[in-house]
Amino acid sequence: MATGAAVSVLTATAAGLGCAMLTGLTGILTSAALIGAGTGLITPLGFAAIAASTPPEHLGQTMGSAELGRELGDAGGPLLVADVATVSSLTYGFAALAALLAAGPLLTLATHRRTTPTRE
């Protein structure tokens, strides 16, 4: 359940970055809505999934590492877009970030195996 929601949210965010490459008001508004919804939902979904799968004695350390990763993403995304835009254009910067975001759901779908929960 959580994997499907995370895949959907990351795909919507990547689609929003794709819409940011379009010209005109429609592209800007659509990208703002999709990127905003995606970034607003992925953190609570991801953190809930991490917390649910972590043993209680390691929860603080694991959530601290997850927060560090989130901060890295908050800083790394704009830096990636700026680096690519410096060499080419802002459109290609958004395309690079969209491709990076789309890689996550694609890898998840390619490697995800269905398992049956075991009873204890």
Side-chain angles (χ1 to χ4, degrees), residues 13-115:
T13 306
L17 284 162
C19 290
M21 295 185 296
L22 302 174
T23 58
L25 186 61
T26 304
I28 292 172
L29 293 177
T30 306
S31 69
L34 289 173
I35 293 169
T39 55
L41 290 173
I42 194 62
T43 300
L45 284 174
F47 276 37
I50 290 170
S53 64
T54 301
E57 61 272 9
H58 296 283
L59 192 59
Q61 185 177 19
T62 302
M63 296 309 288
S65 298
E67 179 63 24
L68 182 63
R70 187 188 68 79
E71 291 293 334
L72 178 64
D74 286 348
L79 287 174
L80 173 70
V81 171
D83 285 346
V84 174
T86 300
V87 209
S88 55
S89 72
L90 185 58
T91 302
Y92 289 113
F94 286 142
L97 186 57
L100 184 65
L101 281 176
L106 291 175
L107 286 172
T108 300
L109 291 174
T111 60
H112 185 69
R113 293 180 290 168
R114 292 210 179 264
T115 58

